[in-house]
Each structure stands twice: as C-alpha cells, then as structure tokens.
Amino acid sequence: MPNTSFNTARDDGKTAPPARAKWLALLARATRDELDDAIARCPDAPDFVWLRAPQTGLVLVQGRVGGSGDRFNLGETTVTRCTLRQQDGVVGTGYVLGRDAERAARVARLDALMQVPRHHNVLAAGPLATIAGRLAATAAQNDADTAASRVEFFTMVREA
C-alpha cells in the first residue's frame, strides 16, 4: 500500500521528503484525466492569476554510475513549468516532463489547492491516493517483469 499520508515522519526513523514534494511528485506523474478528476472535486476553488504562464524549456538530467556511484550528465529533457497565485494568496507551481502546458497548469492548480486545508483533505484521501496506487501497481508490475528475466550468476570453485 503506497504511503499517501503526506507527512514527514517515516517508520524507519529517517526524515521523509516534505509533504509538498511528495504530492508534487505524484501530480507530475498523473494523467490528464486524473488531474481533471482531482480539480473537479474542488468546485469552490478560488480564481487565480499567472505569475509565470506555462513555458517549455530544457533541463540537464544527471545519472549515477551503477545507480548510486558518481554522477554523470545523461542528457537534456524537455520540461514545462508554470506558477500561479490564487485569490486567497496561495502560490502553486507545476513542473511536468514534456511539452504539455495544460498538464503543467493543472499540476500548479492542484499544488495550490493542496495547500488549503479544506481541499487538502479531499484531494489527499481521494485522487492522490488513487494516483499513488496506480503508480505503485505499475512499479510492482515492472519489478515482476524484471525479476522474471533476471539471470543468477554464480562462481564455481575449481579444486586444486
């Protein structure tokens, strides 16, 4: 079961990423339909103005040797970002991979709504939990597919 509590305490005693980082990561990987469903659950959402309208650019992506070793520059990828301010003063930011300005705008809108307590509870318990569940199921399926093709190597000892 995915962790959708959006708090900073973890079971293993370590500090988890801040709650906002967690929900932004979920929203950035959500589909347009999932984002639309989440916004529809907040019909009383205040109007907003753009602080930074959706714009597309490139960011440098880094990788790590062996997943945890030295960093290296993998290449560049396209990212769309935007920032808005609701009438109540809450600022929302959206970043998504690719050139989908509408998706970035929806992420920014939901980021702002998640910072308002009355919307936070509705969104965290419903749409965000659904998104987290779908992503966890996809990751589990990918792990199962990878495990099915894993090759186990062993070393034979030669007797002298």
Side-chain angles (χ1 to χ4, degrees):
M1 186 71 176
N3 179 7
T4 57
S5 63
F6 303 110
N7 61 25
T8 57
R10 283 186 7 184
D11 295 336
D12 59 6
K14 296 181 181 177
T15 303
R20 188 171 181 205
K22 283 183 173 182
W23 77 60
L24 281 170
L26 286 176
L27 293 172
R29 293 181 288 173
T31 65
R32 241 190 223 204
D33 291 338
E34 290 170 331
L35 296 172
D36 287 339
D37 175 53
I39 290 172
R41 293 189 185 216
C42 300
D44 61 338
D47 290 333
F48 67 91
V49 294
W50 289 113
L51 297 178
R52 177 185 298 132
Q55 53 187 222
T56 301
L58 293 174
V59 295
L60 182 63
V61 178
Q62 291 185 334
R64 288 192 176 265
V65 175
S68 61
D70 292 336
R71 290 183 183 181
F72 65 95
N73 293 336
L74 186 61
E76 293 178 332
T77 189
T78 307
V79 173
T80 302
R81 69 178 181 175
C82 61
T83 306
L84 57 82
R85 179 184 298 130
Q86 293 183 151
Q87 283 182 339
D88 59 6
V90 177
V91 175
T93 301
Y95 281 81
V96 296
L97 286 173
R99 298 177 170 270
D100 195 340
E102 290 297 320
R103 238 178 90 227
R106 288 170 173 87
V107 169
R109 186 76 168 130
L110 287 166
D111 176 40
L113 291 172
M114 281 291 290
Q115 296 175 60
V116 178
R118 73 175 186 276
H119 296 299
H120 178 94
N121 297 332
V122 170
L123 294 171
L128 278 137
T130 303
I131 294 166
R134 178 186 57 82
L135 292 172
T138 300
Q141 183 61 48
N142 288 343
D143 290 347
D145 292 346
T146 301
S149 63
R150 178 170 286 133
V151 177
E152 298 291 336
F153 292 95
F154 60 92
T155 304
M156 295 182 66
V157 178
R158 265 200 280 181
E159 294 188 31

